Amino acid sequence: MEQSFEPKIIGFLCNWCSYAGADLAGVSRLQYPPNIRIIRVMCSGRVDPSFVLKALKEGADGVLIAGCHPGDCHYESGNYKAMRRYLYLKKLLKEFGVEDERVRLEWISAAEGARFAQVVTEFTETIRRLGPSKFKEKAASVGKGA
């Protein structure tokens, strides 16, 4: 009997654009996989890399960070800060031996409900293809000195 893998995805969505885009997807009754658990943040620039690492350590298989399009940030430059942190995070994940595709950064406006549904669908398929994350076990072995 084959067990199907259902990924656990944490989505950090900015309050002003991406969260509203997710809301529009819901109001519009657009279909997307139910694998994402949304955490609403005031700005994508607020997402510290330690939040992402903690999510992976606690058992998430993937993390989506979504913010306003560049130039549309409510706080002017928060999404640029998110982009710099994202690039740093991808390098860090490679150092840990974790597939960097497990973390994705996207720009989704409040008017892009269809885009939100599309991104979540694509990302869920990417994580499903990668399989369960081994980050939790790797993080636990670091603490044991292995």
Side-chain angles (χ1 to χ4, degrees):
M1 183 163 94
E2 184 178 317
Q3 273 189 320
S4 63
F5 165 62
E6 285 301 323
K8 296 176 195 161
I9 297 173
I10 299 296
F12 292 103
L13 307 182
C14 93
N15 180 59
W16 305 103
C17 289
S18 303
Y19 188 83
D23 190 41
L24 180 61
V27 169
S28 303
R29 298 179 185 246
L30 299 174
Q31 297 292 313
Y32 59 88
N35 302 71
I36 190 165
R37 300 294 179 264
I38 294 173
I39 298 175
R40 188 178 188 174
V41 294
M42 291 308 289
C43 179
S44 59
R46 175 66 180 92
V47 180
D48 190 277
S50 66
F51 299 170
V52 175
L53 295 175
K54 183 174 181 180
L56 292 170
K57 185 180 173 190
E58 296 291 325
D61 298 301
V63 176
L64 172 67
I65 304 166
C68 306
H69 286 274
D72 288 343
C73 179
H74 191 78
Y75 302 103
E76 296 185 15
S77 61
N79 47 13
Y80 293 111
K81 186 177 182 179
M83 186 182 298
R84 285 191 303 271
R85 287 179 164 184
Y86 171 72
L87 295 174
Y88 167 73
L89 191 57
K90 294 202 52 110
K91 288 181 183 176
L92 194 62
L93 289 174
K94 283 184 181 178
E95 290 289 323
F96 287 140
V98 175
E99 305 93 345
D100 63 345
E101 298 100 324
R102 292 193 182 277
V103 179
R104 183 170 171 170
L105 175 66
E106 286 290 337
W107 311 128
I108 301 170
S109 78
E112 295 178 319
R115 176 160 166 69
F116 176 79
Q118 176 192 359
V119 165
V120 171
T121 302
E122 288 174 5
F123 191 51
T124 301
E125 286 308 312
T126 299
I127 299 300
R128 192 172 281 141
R129 182 176 39 79
L130 291 173
S133 173
K134 306 284 188 250
F135 187 81
K136 188 175 182 178
E137 292 85 25
K138 287 182 180 185
S141 69
V142 169
K144 295 177 183 172

